[in-house]
Amino acid sequence: MTWNINTDNKVYFSSANADVKRNSRLLSKMHSGFTQAASVTKLKDTKAAVMDHLEHMELNSPAKLFDMAADALRQIREEKGSYDYEDVVNTAADVYAKLYAEIEKRYQNASVPYHGTDGRSIAKEDEIAWLEQAYETKIAWEQTNAKIAAQREQFLGHTAKVPQRGSAQIAEDFYAARKRYMKAMGMK
């Protein structure tokens, strides 16, 4: 055992200094272990909070209605070989009715708040307004498709005049189909 005097005039006992360093390393490792355990616990809590957040978040986009309708049309095409105008109208109305029923069901339990991707809470009326807007977008999309298809037929020389169903008639068909599907599901 020796006494050491360093440049700042502090006296250290050599073997004690070594023990302090060793104990300091052990304490550091233990602290690190506790910190890691606390981090894992905190991470699990954070993960649970994120999962809860995602389960109660609604992405309000017409893509949901379009994707569901496209999947239904794909299934019809696989079964029948093709689909027609009536299939397009009916699948859109069916998807609308299903999404409406999902919204109704989700808000039956009023104690569970839902929110949008921006974190703001959303109400049932907000989601129904979104669904209405998505359906209007689908109608406009199909009106445009019908117009383009008719112009293509004229361009190819298959018809002399553009035989297009009027935009108003297409919208009426979509609204009538929606009304039928909603009634069949016992809503509105």
Side-chain angles (χ1 to χ4, degrees):
M1 294 186 197
T2 59
W3 290 91
N4 291 332
I5 300 176
N6 63 8
T7 56
D8 57 348
N9 296 324
K10 291 187 180 174
V11 178
Y12 294 102
F13 193 62
S14 292
S15 63
N17 194 17
D19 288 342
V20 167
K21 285 181 181 177
R22 187 176 24 244
N23 289 339
S24 175
R25 274 189 240 120
L26 285 173
L27 285 173
S28 177
K29 285 182 183 178
M30 286 175 47
H31 176 71
S32 175
F34 288 131
T35 303
Q36 286 176 347
S39 295
V40 168
T41 302
K42 191 174 185 181
L43 184 61
K44 285 180 182 177
D45 291 345
T46 303
K47 181 181 177 185
V50 167
M51 293 306 292
D52 184 59
H53 181 78
L54 290 175
E55 286 175 10
H56 295 98
M57 181 171 52
E58 283 303 311
L59 179 63
N60 294 334
S61 163
K64 190 172 188 177
L65 184 124
F66 276 69
D67 289 346
M68 289 176 70
D71 288 341
L73 289 172
R74 195 173 301 115
Q75 186 176 11
I76 291 170
R77 186 178 59 224
E78 288 173 3
E79 292 171 3
K80 296 185 344 185
S82 66
Y83 57 84
D84 59 14
Y85 173 75
E86 291 302 318
D87 293 326
V88 172
V89 172
N90 288 328
T91 56
D94 183 42
V95 167
Y96 176 93
K98 287 177 181 174
L99 289 172
Y100 193 94
E102 280 181 23
I103 293 169
E104 288 286 337
K105 184 178 178 184
R106 187 171 33 253
Y107 285 95
Q108 283 178 348
N109 183 0
S111 65
V112 180
Y114 284 87
H115 51 270
T117 54
D118 60 358
R120 289 183 298 143
S121 63
I122 54 177
K124 176 180 162 182
E125 295 77 22
D126 297 331
E127 287 198 61
I128 290 172
W130 157 80
L131 184 58
E132 292 291 331
Q133 182 182 10
Y135 198 70
E136 294 293 329
T137 302
K138 178 69 172 164
I139 293 170
W141 173 264
E142 295 304 337
Q143 288 171 325
T144 302
N145 285 343
K147 183 178 179 182
I148 292 169
Q151 289 173 344
R152 179 180 178 275
E153 291 298 310
Q154 182 186 24
F155 178 78
L156 293 173
H158 297 145
T159 60
K161 184 180 173 199
V162 177
Q164 65 181 5
R165 192 182 283 257
S167 290
Q169 181 61 47
I170 291 172
E172 286 176 26
D173 292 345
F174 273 83
Y175 292 130
R178 179 178 66 180
K179 188 174 183 177
R180 279 194 319 272
Y181 277 87
M182 293 294 284
K183 187 176 180 181
M185 293 185 81
M187 292 180 276
K188 254 189 189 179

